[in-house]
């Protein structure tokens, strides 16, 4: 780890001002950033500690929304009464994220802004395209964990488990900063890296996530998060599916299906969602929706297994929600 | 979107990159060490405070042997900077015994043979302690979940679960 200066930010305004200085990086729980500092993938001159910003750490109900400050830890969110009662999809996503120790330190903001896990990216001596190099080494290399959707030069997948679940809940995100400021849909916050913007969120270098807002628009218990992983704890998703339904009697009024581990950002499959509208759920329909969800998927050399996995997770998710409703 | 945050000159004080005094509350005692900001809590405990009960395995959050309690909650000391821990309570395995008396969880680990090489044991015990502090009557599944971030390469898991349940029983009576 290269040495750096360290400063505790007293509030959001100061943090944003401090981050203006080139070579400055924000740290929250540190569980992702420290792994990058140790491997010298990132070498900031100054680290700005966000955890001293007291008004970014809360979970509160406000009118029709649940508001979660960016510094709330994953454990705090998982254990929160409202989350358990109304947003089981989020609780389920957190309970299969990393480990208890990591969830105690990791924050919501850090989870959404974490770096990709592509092994070429994580190697200290490889300067791949995402690290402003010339080429993607995964394209012709070992790409078993990589994307089946998307058209970026970078084929790494977004590793967050919380992001698909939150997008399925129509969550919004608040940003404070010098380049971006205000509130937008979480879905629009994530970007596939482009030539001129090689990162997976639209944040500028001095922009901060301050809050995530979950509207109370879905009924309780209508969401499920399924994650295929190599072992039952401590692993990033191979593929995951966040499925959220709004029922009207026995019929589906609205559906959200967001896949994780399949693209450089959480991947919402709108065509598959649309097939459910106004329908009663049957095994046959769940199968068709699963197939539609992966209709546009394209396998790389080593990741064809992800296509049936994604299809079946969507199907299982839909059937599980039907079972829970009964 | 519009620019809205007004930029002003921040008052907060930068520390480092050289050594700077850092005050750590460890096992209820206050210690001031002189370290660079990049010092991890794990290295501070082992190298600056000589508390080598906290083990260094992978140093990247994938083994659990550096588990300590941060304000009562288990965390990995390798993924935390010492300087970030100012104002918080750190508890390590050395904080569990009282004089010559080892902690009931430690006693239960011995009685149930809940370790072989012992490298993961301090971390396992602290994860169990945090569980029992929050939930005095855990199920076997609760224990498994609580130690799911502590790898044991010897595979002593069944005995770790037995030891934790036994300790829970003793601590209640
Ligand atoms: C072994 C291991 C296993 C893991 N498994 C999983 C898993 O299964 N699922 C999963 O989802 N994650 C997993 N993770 C990742 C983990 O969830 C993230 O490391 C964590 O959520 C990051 O949060 P943090 O607060 O520690 O962020 P930090 O490490 O502090 O920051 C991460 C990045 O976000 C930026 N950042 C932090 N807060 C803000 C903010 N408010 N605004 C703008 N930028 C910000 C930082 O500058 C940095 O670039 C795993 C991590 C490890 C080490
Ligand atoms: S997939 Fe992305 S992160 Fe991995 S080598 Fe290619 S450009 Fe780099």
């Amino acid at each position: 780890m290269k040495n750096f200066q360290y400063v505790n930010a007293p509030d959001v305004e100061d943090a944003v001002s401090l981050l203006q200085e080139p070579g400055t990086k924000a740290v929250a729980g540190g569980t992702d950033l420290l792994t990058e500092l140790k491997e010298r993938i990132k070498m900031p001159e100054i680290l700005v500690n966000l955890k001293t910003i007291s008004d970014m750490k809360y979970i509160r109900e406000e009118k029709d929304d649940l508001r979660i400050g960016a510094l709330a830890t994953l454990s705090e969110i998982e254990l929160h009464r409202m989350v358990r009662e109304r947003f089981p999809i989020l609780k389920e996503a957190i309970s299969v994220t990393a480990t208890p120790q990591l969830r105690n330190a990791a924050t919501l903001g850090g989870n959404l802004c974490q770096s990709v896990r592509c092994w070429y990216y994580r190697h200290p001596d490889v300067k791949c395209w995402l690290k402003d190099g010339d080429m993607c080494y995964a394209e012709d290399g070992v790409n078993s964990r990589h994307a089946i959707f998307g058209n970026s030069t970078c084929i790494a997948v977004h590793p967050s488990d919380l992001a698909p679940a939150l997008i399925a809940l129509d969550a919004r995100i608040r940003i404070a900063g010098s380049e971006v400021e205000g509130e937008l849909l979480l879905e629009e916050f994530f970007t596939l890296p482009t030539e001129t913007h090689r990162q997976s969120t639209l944040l500028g270098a001095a922009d901060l996530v301050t809050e995530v807002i979950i509207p109370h628009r879905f009924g309780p218990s209508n969401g499920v998060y399924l994650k295929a992983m190599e072992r039952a704890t401590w692993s990033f998703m191979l593929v995951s599916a966040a499925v959220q339904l709004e029922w009207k009697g026995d019929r589906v009024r609205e559906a959200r299906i967001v896949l994780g581990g399949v693209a450089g950002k959480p991947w919402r499959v709108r065509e598959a969602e649309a097939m459910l509208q106004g329908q009663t759920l049957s095994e046959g329909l769940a199968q068709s929706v699963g197939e539609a969800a992966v209709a546009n998927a394209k396998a790389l050399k080593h990741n064809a297994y992800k296509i049936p996995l994604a299809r079946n997770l969507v199907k299982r998710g839909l059937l599980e929600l039907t079972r829970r409703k009964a | 979107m519009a620019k809205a945050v007004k930029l002003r000159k921040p008052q907060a004080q930068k520390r480092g990159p050289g050594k700077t005094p850092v005050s750590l509350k460890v096992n209820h005692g206050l210690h001031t060490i002189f370290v660079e900001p990049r010092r991890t809590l794990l290295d501070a405990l082992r190298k600056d405070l000589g508390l080598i009960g906290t083990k260094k395995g992978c140093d990247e959050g994938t083994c659990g042997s550096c588990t300590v309690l941060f304000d009562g909650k288990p965390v990995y000391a390798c993924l935390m900077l010492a300087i970030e821990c100012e104002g918080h309570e750190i508890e390590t395995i050395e904080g569990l015994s009282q004089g010559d008396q080892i902690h009931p969880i430690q006693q239960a680990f011995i009685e149930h043979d809940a370790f072989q090489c012992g490298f993961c044991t301090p971390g396992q015990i602290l994860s169990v302690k945090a569980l029992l502090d929050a939930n005095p009557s855990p199920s076997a599944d609760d224990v498994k979940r609580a130690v799911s971030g502590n790898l044991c390469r010897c595979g002593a898991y069944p005995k770790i679960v037995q030891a934790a349940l036994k300790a829970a029983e003793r601590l209640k009576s």
Side-chain angles (χ1 to χ4, degrees):
Chain A
M1 201 179 329
K2 198 175 145 296
N3 213 352
F4 44 77
Q5 285 192 299
Y6 183 89
V7 52
N8 288 323
D11 53 35
V12 174
E13 286 72 21
D14 269 13
V16 171
S17 300
L18 286 162
L19 286 165
Q20 303 291 316
E21 204 170 320
T24 306
K25 189 83 190 127
V27 63
T31 59
D32 184 40
L33 189 65
L34 254 62
T35 60
E36 290 195 277
L37 298 183
K38 286 181 186 193
E39 299 290 357
R40 295 187 173 229
I41 295 165
K42 294 207 169 101
M43 289 189 276
E45 302 287 329
I46 305 168
L47 222 55
V48 177
N49 179 24
L50 304 178
K51 286 191 302 290
T52 40
I53 305 177
S54 52
D55 56 4
M56 249 168 76
K57 195 174 170 71
Y58 54 84
I59 307 177
R60 65 170 175 255
E61 226 178 315
E62 219 169 81
K63 284 188 246 152
D64 293 330
D65 299 327
L66 183 70
R67 294 182 167 258
I68 310 180
L71 286 176
T73 64
L74 304 194
S75 307
E76 286 161 356
I77 301 169
E78 185 190 2
L79 292 175
H80 194 269
R81 182 187 56 82
M82 276 289 300
V83 172
R84 301 186 83 85
E85 285 173 10
R86 296 209 48 126
F87 309 116
I89 188 172
L90 181 57
K91 189 209 80 169
E92 288 171 19
I94 297 177
S95 72
V96 290
T97 295
T99 65
Q101 287 93 323
L102 287 161
R103 296 195 290 271
N104 284 336
T107 66
L108 173 60
N111 186 272
L112 301 177
C113 300
Q114 63 178 300
S115 294
V116 298
R117 289 275 153 182
C118 169
W119 32 60
Y120 299 104
Y121 174 88
R122 293 275 167 173
H123 196 291
D125 303 328
V126 176
K127 192 173 181 203
C128 73
W129 180 85
L130 194 61
K131 291 196 260 185
D132 288 326
D134 297 327
M135 64 178 284
C136 168
Y137 290 87
E139 196 184 351
D140 291 322
V142 180
N143 50 36
S144 52
R145 294 299 191 91
H146 292 71
I148 52 173
F149 292 105
N151 55 359
S152 170
T153 304
C154 174
I155 52 172
V157 298
H158 198 277
S160 167
D161 281 302
L162 277 70
L166 286 166
I167 291 173
L169 288 166
D170 286 356
R172 305 189 301 276
I173 190 166
R174 265 198 92 73
I175 298 168
S178 56
E179 285 180 44
V180 186
E181 169 75 30
E183 198 176 299
L184 72 161
L185 276 175
L186 182 59
E187 189 185 352
E188 291 161 6
F189 170 74
F190 293 104
T191 55
L192 294 181
T194 60
E195 192 59 37
T196 50
H197 189 80
R198 298 188 187 185
Q199 57 178 65
S200 40
T201 72
L202 47 71
L203 287 188
D207 297 331
L208 290 178
V209 173
T210 57
E211 184 180 61
V212 170
I213 304 138
I214 310 177
H216 278 186
R217 52 171 313 225
F218 293 104
S221 317
N222 293 347
V224 64
Y225 187 78
L226 297 178
K227 175 178 177 182
M229 51 211 291
E230 274 183 334
R231 50 180 175 169
T233 178
W234 232 327
S235 349
F236 288 92
M237 78 264 291
L238 298 167
V239 176
S240 70
V243 184
Q244 182 75 34
L245 297 180
E246 180 72 68
W247 299 96
K248 189 175 183 193
D250 278 343
R251 292 177 185 274
V252 176
R253 196 160 68 165
E254 257 189 280
R256 298 283 181 276
I257 303 175
V258 188
L259 299 173
V262 297
K265 60 177 187 178
W267 201 254
R268 186 162 166 199
V269 280
R270 282 202 162 71
E271 310 75 29
E273 291 174 1
M275 290 170 66
L276 288 157
Q277 215 164 343
Q279 305 296 315
T280 49
L281 250 171
S282 61
E283 173 132 15
L285 180 60
Q287 175 75 23
S288 310
V289 172
E291 275 158 18
V294 295
N296 297 321
K298 243 178 68 199
L300 301 161
K301 191 158 179 219
H302 304 119
N303 70 358
Y305 73 93
K306 284 194 176 187
I307 296 177
L309 203 49
R311 179 194 66 209
N312 291 346
L313 285 181
V314 169
K315 177 182 174 186
R316 266 178 48 197
L318 289 169
L319 294 177
E320 170 64 17
L321 289 178
T322 321
R323 196 187 59 77
R324 284 188 200 175
K325 184 173 186 292
Chain B
M1 275 179 281
K3 295 185 178 187
V5 171
K6 281 194 220 72
L7 297 184
R8 62 169 194 234
K9 202 161 166 40
Q11 302 299 310
Q13 198 203 333
K14 296 194 184 97
R15 295 153 76 186
K19 291 190 177 180
T20 179
V22 171
S23 298
L24 291 181
K25 235 188 272 174
V26 182
N27 301 330
H28 306 297
L30 194 61
H31 307 265
T32 300
I33 55 177
F34 287 86
V35 292
E36 295 171 338
R38 64 176 160 181
R39 193 67 143 179
T40 61
L41 173 62
L42 175 58
D43 284 342
L45 291 171
R46 292 181 56 87
K47 295 182 182 170
D48 301 304
L49 296 175
L51 296 170
I52 56 170
T54 307
K55 301 300 180 203
K56 190 170 189 166
C58 68
D59 208 23
E60 57 178 29
T62 58
C63 81
S65 65
C66 69
T67 300
V68 299
L69 302 186
F70 178 91
D71 292 336
K73 300 200 179 102
V75 297
Y76 297 142
C78 73
L79 291 185
M80 222 168 232
L81 297 171
I83 199 167
E84 296 175 274
C85 298
E86 287 183 313
H88 297 276
E89 294 269 356
I90 308 296
E91 191 169 0
T92 70
I93 192 71
E94 288 88 349
L96 257 60
S97 52
Q98 300 205 319
D100 286 344
Q101 198 68 32
I102 60 172
H103 192 278
I105 303 174
Q106 294 173 305
Q107 188 61 43
F109 265 62
I110 294 171
E111 287 167 14
H112 286 264
D113 251 342
F115 47 85
Q116 289 175 45
C117 83
F119 201 78
C120 72
T121 312
Q124 304 278 6
I125 289 179
L126 288 168
S127 286
V128 170
K129 174 160 194 294
L131 169 70
L132 300 188
D133 286 347
N135 174 8
S137 312
S139 66
D141 275 346
D142 293 333
V143 176
K144 285 182 196 167
R145 236 182 112 61
V147 298
S148 63
N150 295 83
L151 207 61
C152 171
R153 295 300 296 269
C154 307
Y157 298 109
K159 304 204 166 185
I160 291 169
V161 175
Q162 286 166 20
L165 293 174
K166 186 67 181 178
E169 227 172 79
R170 284 220 191 111
L171 282 165
K172 269 188 300 182
S173 58

